Amino acid sequence: PLRMEPPSAGDATLALKLLAEEEEEQAKALDIVQDSIDGPEQQQAFHTWRIVMANWSTLQRTDPLRLRAAIREGIPNMFRGHVWMTLSGASTLELHNKGVYNKLLTMEDSAHVPTISRDITRTFPRHQLFRDRGGAGQRALFNVLRAYAVYNPSVGYCQGMGFIACLFLIYLPEESCFWLMVALLRSYDLQGLFGEEMARFSVVMGVYHALLRKHAAKAAQQLEEQGTLPSMFASQWFITIFTSNFPLDVVVRVWDAFLSEGWAAVYRVAVALLLVAEPRIMGEDLEGILGVMKALPQEVDASSLMTQAAALKIKRAHVQEMEAALEPAVEEER
């Protein structure tokens, strides 16, 4: 079996140092990019993030609230891949495990390969990177998913992983995408949403239902009166962290917040979505409510949604307490 070296305390510092050096080397190129950016808002965001990237480790240590605020405003596309790798710890994993990904690609196929091959043509089919059958995007997606199934056979593969890998490949090279998948499933409690048992799913839906009762009471009551379970419309929101049915501009803003703040950010967005839908579901029956919720992803504005979500008083510590309280009951039911 492959031996993956655990990261040491100094690896994160080294990864950030290398990132800073890379950004310094790219300064001239970024000056050219800045000249091509239209509009004062885009110019200001670019300028802000050049400062953030140059002072990343200092901001993490001395002013994390400023860093969080910048991330909540949205990470510019040209920096997004670097920032996601750093926030998740994937840059450290990749740095410390050179050659592991390429070795995984040469190992015996996982039993999941036929399913992966079938699913990749149905994942992000309208995005230019993935729409060509057998094209570079689909080959990279296949490699990442196959490598992960070999690397972590206890999870293997499920379809929701494909949407997430597609998102990562838009912003990252293939090998970096793989290590971001590793970091995600290891450190962000996603592993329990994949695999045959999906052990974490009932916990997540239970927490969401409780948060709706507290922060969107009117909408929650309407759902209950019409016999509408949140899982009827929100399952894919959580399993794929919104990647399977929301526009890319919404998805990336959610992922910026998720990788920075954890599951509390996901719950905030999910509650905010029901608050957005609330006026339209009042007076509707079950079928009408599900129709509204099905159409909702294509109708929300990313900036407005994230502002509304950030205003909700849903803290990480509280979410973790709620999840911990639900886990024994869910385990007993299983």
Side-chain angles (χ1 to χ4, degrees):
L2 280 175
R3 179 174 179 266
M4 194 182 80
E5 295 291 340
S8 66
D11 286 333
T13 300
L14 178 56
L16 288 169
K17 180 181 178 182
L18 292 174
L19 179 60
E21 290 174 353
E22 183 177 342
E23 290 301 327
E24 186 176 350
E25 291 172 2
Q26 292 176 348
K28 292 181 180 180
L30 290 177
D31 285 337
I32 296 172
V33 172
Q34 185 172 17
D35 290 340
S36 69
I37 297 174
D38 296 326
E41 290 185 5
Q42 290 81 1
Q43 288 277 354
Q44 181 59 45
F46 182 90
H47 177 69
T48 296
W49 273 92
R50 286 197 66 176
I51 296 172
V52 169
M53 297 299 287
N55 298 279
W56 182 274
S57 58
T58 300
L59 286 171
Q60 275 193 317
R61 185 176 65 255
T62 65
D63 201 353
L65 293 181
R66 180 185 172 192
L67 183 58
R68 186 185 71 179
I71 292 170
R72 284 184 173 185
E73 287 295 317
I75 304 166
N77 284 334
M78 67 194 69
F79 298 119
R80 183 166 271 125
H82 279 308
V83 174
W84 285 2
M85 290 289 286
T86 304
L87 286 171
S88 65
S91 56
T92 301
L93 288 172
E94 183 173 10
L95 176 70
H96 210 73
N97 291 279
K98 296 296 184 183
V100 170
Y101 178 68
N102 288 332
K103 188 169 184 179
L104 286 166
L105 294 179
T106 67
M107 293 177 68
E108 184 178 348
D109 276 348
S110 160
H112 296 279
V113 163
T115 307
I116 294 170
S117 298
R118 181 195 66 206
D119 286 348
I120 58 174
T121 60
R122 304 184 297 190
T123 310
F124 278 32
R126 289 185 292 275
H127 192 281
Q128 61 182 5
L129 183 60
F130 305 104
R131 64 189 175 199
D132 295 335
R133 184 180 291 271
Q138 288 194 6
R139 291 196 304 271
L141 177 60
F142 175 83
N143 286 343
V144 169
L145 295 174
R146 176 191 173 280
Y148 191 84
V150 173
Y151 169 79
N152 189 355
S154 65
V155 172
Y157 164 78
C158 79
Q159 189 176 14
M161 296 168 69
F163 290 100
I164 294 171
C166 278
L167 174 65
F168 294 168
L169 283 167
I170 293 171
Y171 297 99
L172 290 164
E174 183 180 312
E175 184 172 357
S176 297
C177 173
F178 168 79
W179 288 112
L180 186 50
M181 289 287 289
V182 172
L184 180 72
L185 271 75
R186 175 186 297 182
S187 303
Y188 287 80
D189 293 327
L190 268 184
Q191 183 159 316
L193 291 178
F194 300 133
E196 294 182 2
E197 294 187 354
M198 296 178 64
R200 180 169 160 74
F201 178 74
S202 295
V203 173
V204 168
M205 295 311 302
V207 171
Y208 180 46
H209 203 173
L211 290 172
L212 289 179
R213 291 192 182 108
K214 180 176 181 180
H215 297 279
K218 187 177 178 181
Q221 182 177 354
Q222 173 67 0
L223 295 181
E224 291 174 7
E225 288 178 355
Q226 300 304 318
T228 311
L229 298 174
S231 58
M232 293 178 178
F233 57 83
S235 296
Q236 288 300 307
W237 296 1
F238 290 101
I239 292 173
T240 69
I241 315 295
F242 301 97
T243 56
S244 64
N245 45 11
F246 281 78
L248 188 60
D249 65 325
V250 175
V251 172
V252 294
R253 292 290 301 278
V254 174
W255 275 83
D256 291 347
F258 174 45
L259 292 173
S260 172
E261 303 178 50
W263 273 91
V266 177
Y267 288 121
R268 286 187 209 113
V269 171
V271 172
L273 282 165
L274 200 62
L275 289 170
V276 170
E278 182 180 274
R280 295 175 53 193
I281 67 172
M282 303 310 294
E284 295 283 356
D285 59 9
L286 171 61
E287 184 177 354
I289 291 171
L290 294 180
V292 169
M293 300 310 293
K294 183 178 180 179
L296 186 64
Q298 304 304 317
E299 299 172 355
V300 294
D301 174 77
S303 294
S304 298
L305 175 65
M306 297 309 293
T307 298
Q308 189 166 5
L312 292 168
K313 305 299 182 183
I314 300 175
K315 304 296 184 183
R316 180 182 298 197
H318 184 217
V319 164
Q320 290 172 340
E321 289 174 4
M322 294 175 72
E323 290 179 344
L326 280 171
E327 283 170 358
V330 170
E331 184 64 28
E332 186 175 339
E333 288 179 7
R334 291 174 54 212

